[in-house]
Amino acid sequence: MTNGLDALFATIATRKDADPASSYTARLLSRGVETCAKKFGEEAVETVIAAIQRDKTELAKESADVLYHLSVLWAAAGITPEDVYAVLKSREGQSGLDEKAARPKA
């Protein structure tokens, strides 16, 4: 059984080669990673605003938009949910503070 995110990503993957004139997803993907990243960022900001305003209905809607646009960004960048799940799995059992401290300093 696939979870909702896997199903969403599978749908997005099928639209990758669709006609951009008839598919919003195909249009986003045809414009490249930069456009997909920008759209994800816009949706993330809208999600933050809904959370700050404590508007649960809008937060749910914007969260759905964030997940959709994150999945589109993954597809544009050539990664899959499984790639992300592998990173999460590698962090299991590790304190978030310890994981952050172990990251290379930029």
Side-chain angles (χ1 to χ4, degrees), residues 28-48:
L28 285 171
L29 290 169
S30 73
R31 293 180 178 167
V33 171
E34 292 81 6
T35 296
C36 295
K38 181 180 174 191
K39 188 61 182 168
F40 169 73
E42 291 169 5
E43 296 300 337
V45 169
E46 291 172 5
T47 303
V48 169

Side-chain angles (χ1 to χ4, degrees), residues 40 43 46-47 60-70:
F40 169 73
E43 296 300 337
E46 291 172 5
T47 303
K61 290 177 185 177
E62 295 300 341
S63 295
D65 290 347
V66 162
L67 292 175
Y68 165 76
H69 285 284
L70 179 58

Side-chain angles (χ1 to χ4, degrees), residues 1-2 10-11 14 18 20 23 27 30-31 34 36 43 51-52 55 68 77 79 86 88 93 99 102-104:
M1 180 174 121
T2 62
T11 298
T14 66
S23 167
R27 185 177 321 146
S30 73
R31 293 180 178 167
E34 292 81 6
C36 295
E43 296 300 337
I52 290 169
D55 185 334
Y68 165 76
I79 69 169
L88 291 171
E99 188 275 328
R103 291 181 191 174

